[in-house]
Amino acid sequence: NAGVTQTPKFRVLKTGQSMTLLCAQDMNHEYMYWYRQDPGMGLRLIHYSVGEGTTAKGEVPDGYNVSRLKKQNFLLGLESAAPSQTSVYFCASRNGVGRNQPQHFGDGTRLSIL
Amino acid sequence: ELKVEQNPLFLSMQEGKNYTIYCNYSTTSDRLYWYRQDPGKSLESLFVLLSNGAVKQEGRLMASLDTKARLSTLHITAAVHDLSATYFCAVDEKANFGNEKLTFGTGTRLTIIP
């Protein structure tokens, strides 16, 4: 059971380039989340989804777009990367039945924007 | 806006000692989660606290929740080196179904010294 898988694990971009981060989960979870983690700031929610075809903005959504075309996948896009988006990105998923389930996290994507 | 504060941010303690990490949050909530993160790794769920007075224990770690005081504690008993990690609390803001998301504290970096 793979759990939550993030692709790629590392990436270096130049300012202005675009890219898509992929998150895939095999637990049939309804909810999926994208966070960024920066030193001294904990995890901040970028966007999230409560089901296939739905997305919502989190705390820091500017500069990012997301799509949830399939239940198992949640894509995070950077249309025009900026140095301020250098961070570690984590995807998480959670069972939608009840609110007492923890989120399960992927291993992260380390992204550097030059 | 929900605010989650942890203290201390950094904690260095000797093996065998006891200590407590505090997590305060600013608005009503009845669900709180504790996670552990090892350097360069993902987040691992430790405890899910679902009601006022909830107490959970696993090995040398014990977590509790006081929803009236908006406070959770993570108590470490007789610390061992393997407990060195960063610990995050996260609060599920009480919201209508379909809007569940967590707000994370900034984390407490715990270092256990032999």
Side-chain angles (χ1 to χ4, degrees):
Chain A
N1 194 343
V4 180
T5 302
Q6 291 184 232
T7 309
K9 297 189 184 303
F10 303 92
R11 186 73 183 268
V12 178
L13 290 178
K14 295 181 179 179
T15 298
Q17 287 185 318
S18 63
M19 77 162 296
T20 300
L21 280 64
L22 171 63
C23 177
Q25 52 95 3
D26 61 3
M27 297 173 283
N28 201 35
H29 284 173
E30 292 292 332
Y31 300 150
M32 296 187 74
Y33 307 82
W34 275 108
Y35 295 91
R36 59 177 290 172
Q37 184 176 32
D38 302 293
M41 302 190 73
L43 277 77
R44 292 182 292 168
L45 182 64
I46 304 171
H47 287 279
Y48 64 105
S49 168
V50 299
E52 180 179 320
T54 72
T55 63
K57 294 180 179 180
E59 181 185 357
V60 288
D62 294 342
Y64 305 95
N65 57 75
V66 288
S67 65
R68 182 103 180 265
L69 298 180
K70 294 182 179 181
K71 185 177 183 178
Q72 63 268 33
N73 295 337
F74 195 28
L75 279 63
L76 178 70
L78 286 72
E79 290 186 348
S80 180
S84 61
Q85 294 177 305
T86 293
S87 188
V88 180
Y89 292 85
F90 285 100
C91 176
S93 70
R94 184 173 76 76
N95 193 330
V97 177
R99 290 173 58 216
N100 60 346
Q101 301 297 319
Q103 294 182 11
H104 297 264
F105 284 81
D107 289 337
T109 295
R110 283 150 184 80
L111 182 61
S112 294
I113 315 295
L114 304 179
Chain B
E1 180 185 348
L2 174 59
K3 301 285 188 185
V4 181
E5 295 184 349
Q6 286 182 238
N7 68 83
L9 298 182
F10 299 92
L11 176 57
S12 182
M13 54 190 294
Q14 287 186 316
E15 280 188 328
K17 300 291 187 183
N18 304 333
Y19 209 82
T20 300
I21 298 171
Y22 298 89
C23 174
N24 292 87
Y25 54 97
S26 61
T27 64
T28 301
S29 175
D30 58 358
R31 281 165 172 78
L32 189 140
Y33 305 79
W34 283 96
Y35 288 87
R36 168 184 173 144
Q37 184 181 37
D38 292 310
K41 302 295 185 181
S42 184
L43 281 80
E44 172 191 357
S45 176
L46 293 175
F47 300 110
V48 179
L49 302 171
L50 300 177
S51 61
N52 186 42
V55 177
K56 295 279 185 74
Q57 183 164 5
E58 180 73 33
R60 301 174 186 275
L61 299 178
M62 183 174 70
S64 65
L65 177 61
D66 181 344
T67 58
K68 293 180 181 179
R70 298 177 183 171
L71 170 68
S72 179
T73 60
L74 181 65
H75 187 72
I76 303 145
T77 302
V80 294
H81 180 70
D82 287 351
L83 292 179
S84 295
T86 298
Y87 293 86
F88 292 94
C89 64
V91 178
D92 185 355
E93 185 172 1
K94 205 164 189 177
N96 296 326
F97 177 80
N99 195 31
E100 292 87 344
K101 53 184 186 289
L102 296 182
T103 299
F104 280 79
T106 52
T108 296
R109 182 177 294 180
L110 174 63
T111 302
I112 309 298
I113 302 169

